[in-house]
Amino acid sequence: MLLGDQLRQYRTRCGISREDAGEKIRASASKISRMELGRVGFKARDIEDLLKLYGVTDRKLLKEFKELALESNKPGWWKEYGDALHKWFIRYVGFEEAADQIRIYESQFVPGLLQTEEYAREVISGGVDTDEVTEQRIQARLKRQEHLERGKKMWIILDEAAVRRPIGGRERGKEIMRGQLSHLIDICRDRNNITLQIVPFSVGAHAAEAGSFTLLRYSDFELSDILYLEHLTDGDIVDKRATAEAYTKAMTKLSVSAATPDETLAMLEEMLRDLDEE
């Protein structure tokens, strides 16, 4: 999907229609559309022909694109979860996998990438017994967390409400939150690839009043940051540079308002102590 998005950006930058691009590789405009949406596989010859049509002639860049095409043709791990994941979220995961850095602001919950299994299970299931589809969604969320193990760079800012909101009811919720807070503390202490900050209630109104968002950054290719906004029934993937830059500025402002990573660790430790004393 990342490769398809790059092809689309090159095509539109050159003012070439899908029909003309399709003619170049002996295909239809609809196939170009499917390629750009990541819904079909990529042939190295087609990629090379399209890039030349779009004015890309640098041999090193062409080689990188061919390698990316081979990688894109491999089935993603998320495919094994079948229909359990929403189509819009499957598209997002493809972009997330390819990103060099993930930046998140979350106002309501601990982000999925940082959730313990117990916390994730409660959020996804809503406290009821899980069926097969729900169980697959839980396992997919845990699978995404392998980013942490691989050392992918993350910068995550949480509103204080996201870490104080109890999940799982009164008694069981204490155990869930105790485990979740301990997990966040371990991340602060042990994960050099993750920067975690909390925006305290005392800050008041701040730069992300509109709600949660995710920014994906790519350093190896000429691709702008991608903004992801999740809603109740769908999610938006936005690649307009001006929009992504506006959210990047909001993230920077949030980082200034938020507690420092060391202060964040101290806040989490205090929250855990308070929970233990209840």
Side-chain angles (χ1 to χ4, degrees):
M1 284 178 276
L2 174 61
L3 176 58
D5 195 74
Q6 290 180 82
L7 290 173
R8 181 187 60 77
Q9 289 201 33
Y10 275 114
R11 179 181 60 75
T12 56
R13 199 178 298 160
C14 295
I16 296 174
S17 68
R18 290 192 179 93
E19 288 76 11
D20 289 342
E23 185 177 340
K24 180 67 176 180
I25 61 170
R26 302 157 298 282
S28 64
S30 63
K31 181 176 179 179
I32 296 297
S33 179
R34 292 195 300 273
M35 288 175 67
E36 292 177 352
L37 290 172
R39 294 177 181 172
V40 294
F42 299 95
K43 295 180 180 178
R45 177 61 185 275
D46 288 345
I47 298 300
E48 185 174 2
D49 288 346
L50 286 173
L51 288 173
K52 288 181 178 178
L53 176 64
Y54 303 156
V56 179
T57 57
D58 181 84
R59 289 186 178 182
K60 182 180 178 182
L61 191 56
L62 288 170
K63 182 181 178 181
E64 287 179 352
F65 270 99
K66 286 181 181 179
E67 291 173 352
L68 188 57
L70 292 173
E71 188 67 26
S72 297
N73 287 333
K74 296 178 182 178
W77 60 262
W78 52 91
K79 298 293 179 64
E80 67 184 87
Y81 296 98
D83 296 330
L85 300 180
H86 299 293
K87 289 183 179 179
W88 49 266
F89 186 71
I90 288 175
R91 184 167 180 248
Y92 164 74
V93 172
F95 283 110
E96 182 182 86
E97 282 286 305
D100 297 296
Q101 185 187 67
I102 300 171
R103 290 171 290 172
I104 298 172
Y105 167 70
E106 178 58 60
S107 61
Q108 297 294 323
F109 301 100
V110 173
L113 289 171
L114 302 185
Q115 291 176 5
T116 62
E117 181 173 351
E118 292 77 14
Y119 187 103
R121 186 171 295 278
E122 191 67 28
V123 169
I124 294 174
S125 69
V128 300
D129 292 338
T130 59
D131 55 19
E132 183 179 353
V133 170
T134 304
E135 190 63 36
Q136 285 186 322
R137 288 176 180 169
I138 293 167
Q139 296 308 313
R141 179 162 298 184
L142 298 175
K143 180 72 174 180
R144 285 174 61 215
Q145 295 180 4
E146 291 183 4
H147 288 316
L148 280 68
E149 303 299 329
R150 296 201 300 266
K152 189 183 287 283
K153 290 288 185 181
M154 298 185 200
W155 179 18
I156 299 174
I157 300 178
L158 307 179
D159 191 275
E160 187 172 345
V163 285
R164 287 200 180 273
R165 176 170 286 104
I167 299 296
R170 184 170 180 79
E171 292 305 320
R172 184 167 175 272
K174 286 184 180 180
E175 290 302 314
I176 292 174
M177 293 308 297
R178 188 176 287 112
Q180 183 62 67
L181 289 171
S182 296
H183 182 55
L184 293 176
I185 289 169
D186 290 341
I187 286 172
C188 289
R189 290 173 175 168
D190 303 330
R191 296 290 183 180
N192 294 329
N193 59 306
I194 301 174
T195 299
L196 182 61
Q197 294 179 265
I198 293 175
V199 182
F201 289 142
S202 59
V203 169
H206 52 67
E209 295 166 314
S212 308
F213 61 89
T214 297
L215 286 161
L216 304 177
R217 173 160 289 180
Y218 307 88
S219 60
D220 293 338
F221 298 94
E222 296 179 9
L223 185 66
S224 63
D225 290 358
I226 287 178
L227 169 68
Y228 175 64
L229 301 170
E230 190 166 310
H231 312 296
L232 182 62
T233 58
D234 61 8
D236 289 331
I237 295 173
V238 183
D239 61 0
K240 291 183 179 178
R241 192 178 296 273
T243 304
E245 287 178 352
Y247 277 82
T248 299
K249 289 179 181 178
M251 189 78 177
T252 302
K253 289 180 180 178
L254 280 169
S255 72
V256 175
S257 301
T260 66
D262 287 342
E263 292 169 343
T264 292
L265 174 58
M267 288 180 66
L268 291 168
E269 290 172 334
E270 183 179 359
M271 290 179 202
L272 184 59
R273 284 194 299 269
D274 291 344
L275 193 61
D276 287 336
E277 291 172 1
E278 288 182 4

